[in-house]
Amino acid sequence: MTYSIATLCGSLRRGSVNAQLLRAAEDTAPADWRFEHLSGLEDLPHYSQDIEEQDGFPGPVEHLAKALRSADGLIIASPEYNYGVTGVLKNAIDWLSRVDDQPFEGLPVSLMSASPSPMGGIRAQYPLRQIFVALQADVMQRPEVAVAFAYERFEENRLVHEPTRDVLRKHLNAFEALITRRSAHRAKAA
């Protein structure tokens, strides 16, 4: 089945292992999935209700919201900063949560992380799960993808560690099942 998958990287760093993880997901996913790697997080001002009320939503927010509304699912790969969510990712989520017809409600969401640490960035996923509960997203629970010792798992921007590729494959299979169930539920409700 063809699905449109949006991706967001919680890191702005060139050469980010989380951006590499998103590319690995695209390489591992079914061939008929269409990926749109969303960008522009660096162009968002810090969320302020004053900006929203005076100027409306910045163009990048409108673009991201439109892309998410047309997606069948969202994959987020993000590092862990200070045991939590990166500021740039949280800021984007805060902006998107404010638009009319906020795009996360009911959206299947996959969370992944990669880090040079032995924890694999997993602590960034837990607060993201809490945030998405408030936004009523359909967050996939298991299997979790937290790539530990990430610099050893990637070579020349490619995931080369086969046990990690296997976990990623299982994760994407489960994500496809979640999207399929969600699509069937929407069709039945319509």
Side-chain angles (χ1 to χ4, degrees), residues 17-138:
V17 289
N18 284 280
Q20 292 175 43
L21 181 56
L22 289 173
R23 284 191 291 279
E26 183 173 3
D27 291 344
T28 307
D32 57 351
W33 284 17
R34 292 184 330 261
F35 280 77
E36 182 178 1
H37 299 287
L38 304 178
S39 61
L41 274 58
E42 66 277 6
D43 298 327
L44 297 176
H46 294 290
Y47 176 75
S48 167
Q49 192 169 356
D50 290 340
I51 294 172
E52 179 187 341
E53 290 172 355
Q54 293 168 10
D55 303 324
F57 292 99
V61 173
E62 296 287 0
H63 171 75
L64 290 168
K66 182 178 178 184
L68 290 173
R69 284 188 201 105
S70 66
D72 295 305
L74 169 64
I75 299 174
I76 295 175
S78 182
E80 168 189 322
Y81 285 2
N82 300 313
Y83 289 14
V85 181
T86 65
V88 68
L89 181 57
K90 178 65 167 71
N91 186 50
I93 293 169
D94 288 344
W95 271 112
L96 289 162
S97 73
R98 301 287 296 181
V99 299
D100 292 334
D101 188 26
Q102 71 90 355
F104 296 116
E105 186 172 344
L107 182 66
V109 175
S110 156
L111 301 174
M112 302 179 186
S113 56
S115 171
S117 79
M119 297 291 288
I122 194 73
R123 291 177 292 213
Q125 293 185 31
Y126 300 142
L128 282 169
R129 290 179 188 283
Q130 292 175 314
I131 292 165
F132 283 119
V133 165
L135 299 175
Q136 298 181 344
D138 197 356

